[in-house]
Amino acid sequence: MGAREFEFRKLLAFGTGVGIEIRGADLEVTIARVRPSGAQAAGSLTIRGYRERPAAEWGAEYHAFLKRLGETRLSATVLLPRGEIIMRQLALAGVAARDLESAIALQLDSLHPYGDDEAVYGWSPLGNGMVLVGIMRRTVLERYAALFAEAGVPVVSFTFSAAAIHAALRLFGAPPAGFVTVGRNDPDGPVEIYGESPARPVFSAEFDAPEERAVLLGAAELRLPPETQAVTLAEVLPRRRAEGAGEGTALAYAAALAGACPRLAPAANLLPREMRHSHSRAMFIPTAVLAALLLITSAAALGYGKLADRSYLSKLQEEIAQLEPEARKAAALDRQIDLARNRVRLLEEFRGRTRADLEALQELTNLLPPPIWSNSLDLTREAVTINGEADQAAGLIKIIDASPLFRNAEFSVIARTGSNELFRIHTLREGRR
């Protein structure tokens, strides 16, 4: 990514998002504010035991947290549990961006083991024709959607950890060329590895192994040197923590960053479009600013354009006046060339007529051998009329039509005299009208 593109992305980095990580029996909530100057974790909240508590109770706790930070309008980006998502990477080189959705849908049945159970999916572009696809059962997603709806929590996106991290790392430009992060969703659970490298755009997996072993396996999958040192996810995410924001989790923060600027850094969204709630209006501020700049620039260009057009028209008319005599000479020369070409074409046509007539006479001589003979032959550019005698004239029509030089032969007069038949045959010359 060039320096100019990097600066342009920074200007578009403007929005606020709330990320919710489903972390075992708890919900980790983080609010992130993204501005061109950097990202900021505005606050975090842990909702304990949400599965056992009434949805309205923990929903009220969530809304009180948003109200305290003045962000009540936000819709949440929810990070689904890693174990309930099937993640796939597809190579779709040569497929146009507008056709990626259809190309993934065509392959969907071969990407999951759910059989006849309906599945939902979301995808993120990885670049170079690669896409990251997340798939889960529709019934599971609808259960989560119903739970959050019961709690009164509007949700704009259900995504997964790899998609959210990949999007968050690209808010302000490209991440490091190769790295491995290590973390745990549960202190007693498996080790979760996320990494990127030039050889593999995304790698995300859980390992039931010691942390050092998991890091080595992740580095091997990414084709990174074995001595590669793992870092925490918090170290690679764009971050500038606010005073008293709370610790939160890196994954919830990544989901909040992805939700803050979904157009700038899109993350896979498994929630069907008809079920998505509207999101923060702050994401439209860059568009509004750019639209205002476009209007100002257009107005200035319009005023300048009129002056430039007048100057250009004056210069153009001067050039036309200077070149007009030469243009007239060129036009006269073109007319002379066309006349000469027509004369040559006419001479060629006359030259070819004699040859064609001789070929027609030769063909008729071959087609009507003795004892067939002709009294007269009228040869024109379009047709031939033959008057003659033959012992059997009826078969001559078929013989003449079989020739490549004639077509549509027909008798115009036929009579009998002695043992012979008098005939008149009229036939068109092939290729003539």
Side-chain angles (χ1 to χ4, degrees), residues 18-89:
V18 54
I20 301 178
E21 178 194 359
I22 301 175
R23 189 180 178 88
D26 302 332
L27 298 177
E28 296 288 345
V29 184
T30 296
I31 292 178
R33 297 189 178 107
V34 177
R35 301 295 183 266
S37 58
Q40 184 182 60
S44 61
L45 170 72
T46 300
I47 299 177
R48 305 288 184 185
Y50 78 100
R51 296 181 184 272
E52 291 77 26
R53 297 167 58 187
E57 179 183 317
W58 60 262
E61 185 179 348
Y62 169 84
H63 283 290
F65 166 69
L66 263 61
K67 185 177 181 180
R68 188 168 66 251
L69 295 176
E71 301 291 355
T72 55
R73 68 189 182 282
L74 291 179
S75 297
T77 297
V78 179
L79 211 61
L80 295 164
R82 179 74 169 76
E84 295 182 353
I85 296 289
I86 294 176
M87 193 181 74
R88 297 282 188 263
Q89 292 185 45

Side-chain angles (χ1 to χ4, degrees), residues 391-430:
D391 54 350
Q392 293 290 333
L396 299 180
I397 296 295
K398 185 175 181 180
I399 292 172
I400 292 173
D401 275 344
S403 171
L405 299 183
F406 307 105
R407 60 185 173 86
N408 298 340
E410 59 182 11
F411 284 115
S412 57
V413 175
I414 186 167
R416 192 160 192 90
T417 173
S419 61
N420 288 340
E421 293 179 346
L422 298 174
F423 64 85
R424 176 180 289 174
I425 297 176
H426 181 78
T427 179
L428 299 177
R429 296 176 69 175
E430 188 64 42

